Amino acid sequence: MHQAFANTKRRTIDALPLLVLVPSVAIAYWPAVSADWIRDEYWNLAVARMVGNPWALFITDHFHAPGSHFRPLAYFAYWATQAMFGAGHMAQAWVEGVIHLAVSILLYALIRQVAAIGPSLVAALLFGVHPAVVTTAAWYADRGGHLALLFTLAAMLVASLGRWPFRRRVALSMALALAAMLSKETGLIAVAALAIIGWFSSERRDRRYMLVAALVGVALVFLVWRAWILGTFLSNTLGEIPLTTVLAKGLGKWLAQFGAYASIWPKLSMAAKTSFVALVSLAIVLARYFNRVADRKGAAPWAMLGAACVLIVGPGILQAPVAAQNTLPLTRDMSWVEFAMQARLYYVTAAGIAIVAAVALDRIWSIPRNAARRALLATSCAMCAVAVVAGWHAVDGYRARSIEIGALAREATAAVAASRLPADRCKIAFQGIEPPPEWDVYVSMDEVVKALSPEVSAVSRCLITDNYGTFVYLLPPPDAEAFARVIPSRSGAAGEALPARRIGHLALAYFPVLPTPAMQDGALRLRWRHGSFSHDDTAQ
């Protein structure tokens, strides 16, 4: 009974820092609740609303570019949360906030396995409120990345619980690793991290081999499953470029921009830069002093440090193709929305850095001198407070810019809702639009209207075109077949006509990117003029 009371007391003490961690992360994230959709969310939300049968996501290629990505659990989550809470941004922002809080809490619990309460709290808090992390957490379109890290940290935590039976730990950590991989390909990092933790924490050789075999088996199941669906073990986003070239270029760009996104240096004002340098310099001086006077005992947790290194480096390798194509250097003029989309490449890396930083801080945390302990505590509190303010400021900038971007999408949806749609072979043609720079080529008005319309069934049957290009059209299969009889599909790289792909109750049709006369014949025409849409009868 005494032991049970002691265990309960320890768990209570371990949970008390959450009273600081949760409110701090919530404050930094709070502006995201009143933000708006920005880019890829329109595609994700439209697919979630039109797919009908979410289980089809696990057995079909569900990305707009065939053979690119396989993230069925993330898309299932899109479908589930919009079915439960609706397609409004605020409800989905709450979901993303809960996921981010869960990631931060899991990171704290994981670090607590190898470090004292103080370093664990400081590291998890700095992770949760860092501008590059919390703005990424606010981006609904990267839910797959958020879930992948959530399941990865949960798997690492389970593997670290030595008091649990070995077979139970292996079974649960394997299931969580598979969930991470099915959320986003970066979940493959979980396999390497678990292998390091299991190998160095187990004293029995047979258990080491059993664990490695189980991990290899789970990874092969995912990779074969993915290759069966996509038709390739890699990704068609590589094109004809050799894999080694893409890895070298992507990893180089990822490393080159890491410092800028970690420090947000280019976006800081001169006063902020001066304060940043002073704070970092003070931290370095104090760290060197504390390192001399600290009472360090015990060996370093090399297994956890090795797993953390995997979290740090792994994303740069796995996301090299994306980095090679899309990474932009951080500038002062870059919007916080674009910042969030770029910073997602470092989301998992930040968690690994937090673990390493916590272990390093833990080595100097036990300082025998009261004055030094107070100085260390004051410095840690100051850094956390500054980080919370910086995180809130970044997310508030994200919120403001997202509302500006979303105005066009809201106006388009309202114009369609106020119009009388054609009864047969509904067509809508948007004209005169200059899309926001953050949209680039990734957002079409077809996605926008079908993501945001109050009644998706009223517009799902419509072929919606615009003046700047649509990569893929979302339609119910019968309507896609009907339009295909009069509108030929565009040609692929080899010159063949691209066939429509079916996902549950949804068809992805590859009609011409820019509208042809046949696509606009008899269409409802809406032209963007002076900040609103109006009917364009002159083109009839």
Side-chain angles (χ1 to χ4, degrees):
M1 183 174 180
H2 175 74
Q3 183 62 37
F5 175 78
N7 292 338
T8 302
K9 182 179 179 181
R10 182 182 184 278
R11 285 193 293 267
T12 301
I13 294 174
D14 283 346
L16 284 177
L18 299 183
L19 298 176
V20 176
L21 176 62
V22 172
S24 299
V25 175
I27 289 171
Y29 180 84
W30 183 254
V33 174
S34 55
D36 206 343
W37 310 115
I38 57 173
R39 195 176 79 178
D40 299 49
E41 299 97 313
Y42 297 112
W43 162 265
N44 298 328
L45 195 57
V47 170
R49 299 181 77 190
M50 296 178 63
V51 70
N53 175 19
W55 301 109
L57 297 166
F58 291 86
I59 56 174
T60 52
D61 185 351
H62 46 261
F63 203 65
H64 52 74
S68 299
H69 305 296
F70 182 59
R71 300 165 184 176
L73 195 56
Y75 277 78
F76 185 90
Y78 292 136
W79 171 86
T81 56
Q82 68 83 27
M84 290 187 291
F85 309 118
H89 180 274
M90 181 172 289
Q92 300 303 323
W94 279 110
V95 173
E96 296 304 321
V98 170
I99 293 174
H100 183 52
L101 281 172
V103 169
S104 301
I105 293 171
L106 276 173
L107 181 61
Y108 165 77
L110 179 63
I111 296 173
R112 186 67 185 92
Q113 304 300 309
V114 295
I117 289 177
S120 302
L121 173 61
V122 171
L125 193 152
L126 291 177
F127 165 84
V129 304
H130 190 286
V133 172
V134 73
T135 53
T136 297
W139 191 27
Y140 168 88
D142 196 39
R143 181 178 290 182
H146 310 157
L147 290 175
L149 181 57
L150 177 77
F151 291 126
T152 296
L153 293 177
M156 293 171 64
L157 179 60
V158 169
S160 302
L161 298 176
R163 59 184 177 275
W164 280 23
F166 175 76
R167 293 182 182 275
R168 182 190 300 177
R169 280 186 286 136
V170 171
L172 185 52
S173 58
M174 294 305 103
L176 290 167
L178 181 59
M181 290 181 276
L182 291 173
S183 298
K184 190 176 181 179
E185 286 84 349
T186 51
L188 283 164
I189 293 170
V191 174
L194 289 173
I196 292 174
I197 291 175
W199 187 268
F200 289 101
S201 61
S202 178
E203 296 180 356
R204 291 177 51 178
R205 180 177 297 182
D206 59 331
R207 288 187 171 182
R208 293 179 180 178
Y209 292 143
M210 182 187 301
L211 175 65
V212 171
L215 287 168
V216 171
V218 169
L220 285 176
V221 166
F222 168 73
L223 292 173
V224 171
W225 185 353
R226 180 180 181 276
W228 174 58
I229 298 297
L230 301 186
T232 175
F233 278 99
L234 299 175
S235 173
N236 287 340
T237 57
L238 298 175
E240 301 299 324
I241 306 175
L243 177 60
T244 53
T245 301
V246 171
L247 286 175
K249 180 181 178 181
L251 187 57
K253 294 179 69 174
W254 183 86
L255 289 171
Q257 299 304 321
F258 170 75
Y261 284 96
S263 65
I264 62 168
W265 181 264
K267 293 190 72 65
L268 297 178
S269 64
M270 184 56 65
K273 288 180 178 178
T274 303
S275 302
F276 180 82
V277 170
L279 187 60
V280 171
S281 300
L282 176 62
I284 292 174
V285 171
L286 290 177
R288 293 188 64 180
Y289 171 73
F290 295 148
N291 186 54
R292 290 199 305 269
V293 301
D295 182 20
R296 296 186 297 273
K297 295 180 180 179
W302 295 113
M304 188 63 70
L305 286 174
C309 290
V310 171
L311 297 184
I312 294 172
V313 180
I317 299 173
L318 292 176
Q319 297 178 119
V322 177
Q325 296 176 355
N326 300 327
T327 298
L328 296 176
L330 180 60
T331 64
R332 182 171 177 80
D333 296 331
M334 178 183 285
S335 73
W336 285 109
V337 162
E338 186 64 51
F339 173 86
M341 294 188 291
Q342 295 290 326
R344 78 190 189 280
L345 298 174
Y346 305 102
Y347 182 67
V348 177
T349 297
I353 292 174
I355 296 173
V356 174
V359 172
L361 183 58
D362 185 65
R363 303 294 286 174
I364 61 175
W365 195 257
S366 300
I367 301 175
R369 305 177 188 180
N370 290 333
R373 287 180 63 85
R374 287 194 293 270
L376 179 58
L377 182 60
T379 304
S380 301
C381 290
M383 292 182 64
C384 290
V386 170
V388 171
V389 173
W392 183 93
H393 175 75
V395 178
D396 190 56
Y398 174 98
R399 176 200 59 79
R401 180 56 184 158
S402 71
I403 292 174
E404 295 175 356
I405 294 172
L408 174 62
R410 299 289 176 185
E411 288 288 338
T413 306
V416 171
S419 302
R420 184 176 180 179
L421 301 179
D424 182 45
R425 291 191 182 179
C426 170
K427 301 176 186 176
I428 304 173
F430 285 95
Q431 299 170 331
I433 295 175
E434 184 177 347
E438 289 89 348
W439 281 13
D440 199 10
V441 298
Y442 300 103
V443 179
S444 68
M445 299 313 294
D446 183 69
E447 300 166 15
V448 166
V449 172
K450 291 169 183 177
L452 302 186
S453 290
E455 295 292 335
V456 68
S457 59
V459 297
S460 61
R461 61 188 178 86
C462 297
L463 178 67
I464 303 176
T465 61
D466 52 55
N467 59 282
Y468 60 89
T470 303
F471 182 76
V472 61
Y473 298 84
L474 306 176
L475 292 162
D479 295 281
E481 293 173 4
F483 282 118
R485 297 189 189 104
V486 294
I487 304 172
S489 297
R490 67 177 184 269
S491 300
E496 78 289 0
L498 293 174
R501 293 189 291 128
R502 182 164 179 170
I503 310 169
H505 301 163
L506 170 66
L508 308 183
Y510 294 88
F511 298 130
V513 172
L514 294 174
T516 63
M519 298 170 72
Q520 292 185 311
D521 183 31
L524 168 69
R525 298 173 186 265
L526 297 170
R527 181 171 291 276
W528 181 250
R529 293 188 182 96
H530 311 299
S532 64
F533 284 96
S534 59
H535 291 267
D536 186 9
D537 297 324
T538 61
Q540 296 288 348

